[in-house]
Amino acid sequence: MYTINAMPDPLPKELIDLFQTVETATIGHWHLFGFMDRRIQSLVRGKRVVGTAVTIAIPASDSTLLHHATGMLRPGDVAVVDRLGDDKHACWGGGVTVAAKAAGAAGAIVDGPCTDLAEIEASDFPIWARGLSSITTRLHDLGGGLNIPVSCGGVAVFPGDLILGDESGVLVLRREEAEAIGRKALEIQERGGQREKQVRDGLARLGDLSGASAKVLARMNAA
């Protein structure tokens, strides 16, 4: 059985633009939710992605629905693939990459292994996954879900969520919370850049700026 729902509304361009330089690790300084399992890592070094989540759930050794879904992807979409617990079969390889890229998709997140790494690297397509496997899926026609709530990397992902991926990992944000989080992250990055310049130029020490040295000295003086 297949459950296929309507495609989510694309995220506003202003929101996508806001996150172009936001780092997942900056948000990780204070935000606790939405971070996928750290074992889901970028397969193409140096890539980052910001886009609208299109969710796909496919079972075990079957990727029939994934092949169909690539024809529905739009520019700016990020395919988020829930493998329903399977960690053996690679559902994503060179052919699926070609199809997703041709549709204009911004990237993909796969809660399982991929294959054809050389082809993925050559395509320069941003994709995050749980490593690689030479055992691939087939077209078994077992069913699945498109644009339904899924679990990816231990995180609930809904169609239309904002996906932010970089070399540190993948973060999922509800669109209604994303703007405030993005703006706070940019402010922190701006302050961090200024602090790093002071340290680099020899004008200050990191421990003094962060407050760590004051904590250490206070504990030592109290001993």
Side-chain angles (χ1 to χ4, degrees), residues 42-63:
S42 176
L43 296 185
V44 183
R45 186 172 179 81
K47 302 301 290 185
R48 55 181 285 117
V49 70
V50 183
T52 307
V54 171
T55 60
I56 306 160
I58 51 175
S61 59
D62 182 40
S63 60

Side-chain angles (χ1 to χ4, degrees), residues 16-24 26 48 50 164 166 182 185-186 189:
I16 296 294
D17 291 344
L18 176 66
F19 275 83
Q20 287 304 316
T21 58
V22 172
E23 300 173 3
T24 59
T26 301
R48 55 181 285 117
V50 183
L164 174 64
D166 58 22
L186 290 177
Q189 287 176 197

